[in-house]
């Protein structure tokens, strides 16, 4: 990429979204415009391209951030767009809080629907994954003896709602154990098939578990479940934005995700999908004027809410589309493969994420053999400026490493070198 092209890339990626989104009328993706100029055809295959993407994330000096699975960063353009909306709101509060941004809000819904290949009438704009899982768990009038399947790797935000809203009524929670390192998709589907009984009403499952980045076979489980009249709810916190997802193809009834991780949106914004045929099961967590609305909007009717953050989600999708969902998908797997190639076969390390691409992606978990993970985590931060997450459940004693699109191969080289030094110290 020559100097002139690089300057154009930085200018548009850094300022383009604010031009599109910080005005009352927005939503035009930059993708088609950029392609028309022929700027980036094939550039994503070079590390120079990803260095430019990285430059759009204004991280703290000296920080090497491998903790996107905990919380993502917003790019400069997304931050600018959100601040622009905030300025508009504070300039005329009542106009923009109640009605002034109705069309813009619907454009955000449409952009999310397009991203996940579903209908806009199947998308609600909520706060986070936890809210969506609570919404699902509280909606059902199940009877004592009914069963809900929740595997043992579920995030607390995916299991506690069922414990509070259903288990206390006498509903049985079935907690099958998943293998930490499955060698095939069928190995996981068998776990769920064995857990199903005539009393099973709902299967609630992660798309990607937060413990070791294992991908669960939602499509296969949904097919099995629906043949038996069982509903499927999915916690998509760790998958939304990491790779391409077609929710109709996935087949689940409900899908809840926090967009502030792999979609890099403002914090406190989330996405909720409910298949049209399954929406009648759901009841809103909060009710206000307009609660009789029969559309999916009844699930997001909070009256006053932080609309600049919601509209900032639109800027996040635009940023995602500008790079390209397929390109991001490939990059996620490219970084996974690159990292594993650097440490596989090294006796100092044990990778504790499944190897197959059908079973893991841009979250990889590694143990430094013979070392306490909390100690290694602290030394990575203190000595190298590397932030990551220690995982101790399920016997992992391992570091959870997130390879978001602002991570380059040079960053991975730096990480592996640091791990090697600590492993041999």
């Amino acid at each position: 990429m020559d100097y002139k092209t690089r300057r154009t890339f930085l200018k548009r990626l850094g300022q383009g979204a604010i031009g599109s989104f910080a005005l009352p009328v927005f939503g035009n993706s930059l993708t088609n415009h950029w392609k028309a100029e022929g700027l980036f055809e094939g550039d994503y295959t070079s590390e120079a391209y990803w260095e430019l993407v990285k430059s759009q994330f204004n991280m703290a000096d000296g920080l090497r951030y491998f903790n996107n699975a905990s919380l993502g960063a917003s790019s400069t353009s997304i931050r600018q767009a959100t601040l622009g909306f905030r300025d508009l709101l504070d300039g005329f509060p009542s106009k923009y809080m109640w009605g002034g941004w109705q069309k813009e809000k619907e454009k955000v819904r449409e952009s999310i629907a397009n991203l996940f290949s579903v209908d806009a009438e199947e998308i609600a704009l909520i706060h986070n994954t936890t809210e969506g899982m609570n919404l699902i768990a509280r909606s059902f009038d199940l009877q004592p003896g009914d069963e809900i399947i929740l595997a043992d790797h579920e995030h607390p935000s995916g299991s506690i709602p069922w414990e509070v809203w259903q288990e206390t009524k006498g509903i049985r929670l079935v907690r099958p154990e998943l293998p930490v390192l499955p060698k095939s998709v069928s190995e996981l589907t068998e776990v769920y098939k064995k857990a199903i009984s005539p009393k099973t009403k709902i299967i609630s499952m992660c798309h990607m578990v937060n413990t070791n980045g294992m991908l669960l076979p939602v499509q296969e489980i949904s097919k099995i479940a629906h043949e038996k009249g069982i509903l499927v709810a999915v916690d998509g916190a760790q998958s939304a934005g990491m790779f391409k997802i077609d929710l109709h193809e996935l087949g689940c009834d409900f899908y809840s995700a926090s967009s502030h991780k792999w979609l890099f949106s403002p914090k406190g914004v989330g996405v909720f999908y409910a298949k049209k045929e399954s929406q009648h099961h759901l009841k809103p967590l909060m009710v206000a004027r307009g609660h009789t609305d029969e559309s999916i909007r009844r699930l997001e009717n909070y009256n006053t809410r932080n609309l600049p953050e919601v509209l900032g989600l639109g800027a996040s999708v635009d940023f995602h589309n500008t790079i390209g969902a397929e390109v991001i998908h490939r990059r996620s797997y490219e970084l996974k493969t690159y990292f594993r190639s650097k440490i596989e076969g090294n006796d100092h390390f044990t990778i504790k994420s499944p190897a197959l691409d059908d079973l893991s992606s841009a979250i990889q978990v590694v143990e430094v053999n013979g070392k306490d993970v909390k100690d290694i985590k602290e030394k990575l931060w203190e000595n190298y400026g590397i932030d990551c997450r220690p995982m101790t459940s399920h016997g992992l004693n391992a570091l959870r490493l997130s390879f978001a699109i602002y991570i380059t191969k040079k960053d991975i080289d730096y990480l592996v070198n640091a791990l090697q030094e600590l492993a041999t110290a």
Side-chain angles (χ1 to χ4, degrees):
M1 184 181 294
D2 61 30
Y3 178 72
K4 182 178 179 180
T5 302
R6 181 180 183 278
R7 283 176 58 92
T8 305
F9 180 97
L10 289 170
K11 181 177 179 181
R12 289 184 176 153
L13 194 55
Q15 299 176 0
I18 186 67
S20 296
F21 283 91
L23 300 172
V25 177
F26 72 95
N28 293 322
S29 171
L30 301 177
T31 308
N32 292 334
H33 177 70
W34 286 17
K35 285 184 177 179
E37 294 195 8
L39 292 177
F40 310 115
E41 205 64 43
D43 280 353
Y44 56 81
T45 62
S46 74
E47 281 301 295
Y49 178 88
W50 295 106
E51 291 286 353
L52 289 173
V53 171
K54 178 182 178 178
S55 74
Q56 302 309 300
F57 292 83
N58 187 23
M59 297 293 191
D61 289 344
L63 172 65
R64 305 297 181 107
Y65 194 65
F66 290 88
N67 202 11
N68 196 89
S70 291
L71 189 63
S74 294
S75 71
T76 301
S77 59
I78 296 166
R79 291 160 65 178
Q80 289 177 336
T82 306
L83 287 171
F85 287 126
R86 193 169 295 137
D87 286 343
L88 283 172
L89 174 62
D90 286 327
F92 198 160
S94 61
K95 173 184 177 180
Y96 289 109
M97 181 56 66
W98 294 298
W101 275 332
Q102 191 57 37
K103 289 182 180 179
E104 287 72 24
K105 183 179 174 184
E106 289 307 309
K107 286 181 180 178
V108 174
R109 191 188 316 279
E110 290 169 8
S111 70
I112 289 293
N114 290 336
L115 181 65
F116 292 107
S117 300
V118 297
D119 192 284
E121 296 303 315
E122 296 176 303
I123 295 293
L125 304 173
I126 59 172
H127 292 98
N128 53 34
T129 307
T130 304
E131 178 186 330
M133 299 311 292
N134 269 273
L135 192 160
I136 299 165
R138 196 174 183 180
S139 288
F140 290 91
D141 295 320
L142 301 175
Q143 302 303 310
D146 287 345
E147 294 179 355
I148 298 164
I149 296 175
L150 289 161
D152 63 331
H153 280 256
E154 294 300 305
H155 189 278
S157 291
S159 59
I160 291 173
W162 295 106
E163 293 170 6
V164 172
W165 302 121
Q166 298 296 343
E167 190 176 36
T168 53
K169 299 190 302 183
I171 280 70
R172 180 169 176 255
L173 302 186
V174 179
R175 306 301 305 268
E177 293 185 8
L178 297 172
V180 173
L181 291 171
K183 292 181 172 58
S184 67
V185 171
S186 62
E187 192 176 341
L188 293 172
T189 57
E190 284 301 312
V191 172
Y192 283 93
K193 286 170 70 173
K194 290 177 181 177
I196 292 173
S197 82
K199 295 182 178 181
T200 305
K201 302 300 180 184
I202 301 165
I203 297 174
S204 186
M205 62 189 299
C206 288
H207 193 185
M208 172 180 280
V209 304
N210 80 305
T211 50
N212 73 335
M214 175 169 52
L215 269 167
L216 300 186
V218 173
Q219 184 175 10
E220 291 82 352
I221 298 303
S222 295
K223 184 176 186 298
I224 293 167
H226 291 156
E227 289 173 353
K228 299 177 180 293
I230 299 167
L231 295 170
V232 177
V234 176
D235 172 346
Q238 294 296 355
S239 58
M242 183 191 292
F243 46 79
K244 288 188 70 176
I245 298 171
D246 182 327
L247 287 172
H248 283 169
E249 187 176 279
L250 212 58
C252 57
D253 297 277
F254 314 114
Y255 177 96
S256 181
S258 297
S259 54
H260 55 242
K261 293 181 186 285
W262 300 90
L263 283 171
F264 315 121
S265 80
K267 284 45 177 179
V269 189
V271 174
F272 186 82
Y273 160 79
K275 186 165 61 176
K276 283 185 179 179
E277 299 86 340
S278 304
Q279 288 182 21
H280 66 279
H281 292 288
L282 301 175
K283 303 171 186 175
L285 282 173
M286 294 180 63
V287 290
R289 183 172 56 188
H291 69 96
T292 56
D293 186 347
E294 294 183 358
S295 78
I296 198 167
R297 292 161 190 79
R298 72 184 187 278
L299 305 179
E300 60 182 40
N301 183 20
Y302 313 124
N303 203 351
T304 304
R305 68 177 299 186
N306 195 340
L307 287 180
E309 310 299 312
V310 175
L311 300 188
L313 172 58
S316 303
V317 176
D318 193 66
F319 181 82
H320 187 92
N321 290 340
T322 295
I323 297 170
E326 183 65 40
V327 171
I328 292 171
H329 180 105
R330 288 198 292 268
R331 180 63 172 180
S332 296
Y333 282 98
E334 181 183 6
L335 292 177
K336 166 199 168 176
T337 300
Y338 185 77
F339 171 73
R340 293 181 72 104
S341 73
K342 291 289 182 177
I343 65 171
E344 281 178 326
N346 188 322
D347 292 339
H348 293 297
F349 307 114
T350 300
I351 301 175
K352 293 192 169 180
S353 297
L356 294 179
D357 283 351
D358 286 343
L359 295 172
S360 76
S361 181
I363 295 175
Q364 295 292 298
V365 174
V366 61
E367 179 176 6
V368 181
N369 297 331
K371 306 285 186 178
D372 180 80
V373 66
K374 293 182 180 178
D375 181 55
I376 292 293
K377 188 264 189 245
E378 289 304 315
K379 288 179 178 176
L380 281 172
W381 169 244
E382 292 170 2
N383 299 341
Y384 302 93
I386 293 172
D387 185 50
C388 58
R389 172 80 183 272
M391 303 304 293
T392 56
S393 67
H394 303 84
L396 288 173
N397 186 43
L399 300 164
R400 188 184 70 188
L401 304 166
S402 306
F403 303 128
I405 58 172
Y406 49 75
I407 296 295
T408 65
K409 290 180 180 178
K410 187 184 298 183
D411 292 325
I412 291 177
D413 291 341
Y414 179 84
L415 167 68
V416 171
N417 181 66
L419 290 173
Q420 182 67 30
E421 289 181 0
L422 292 176
T424 56

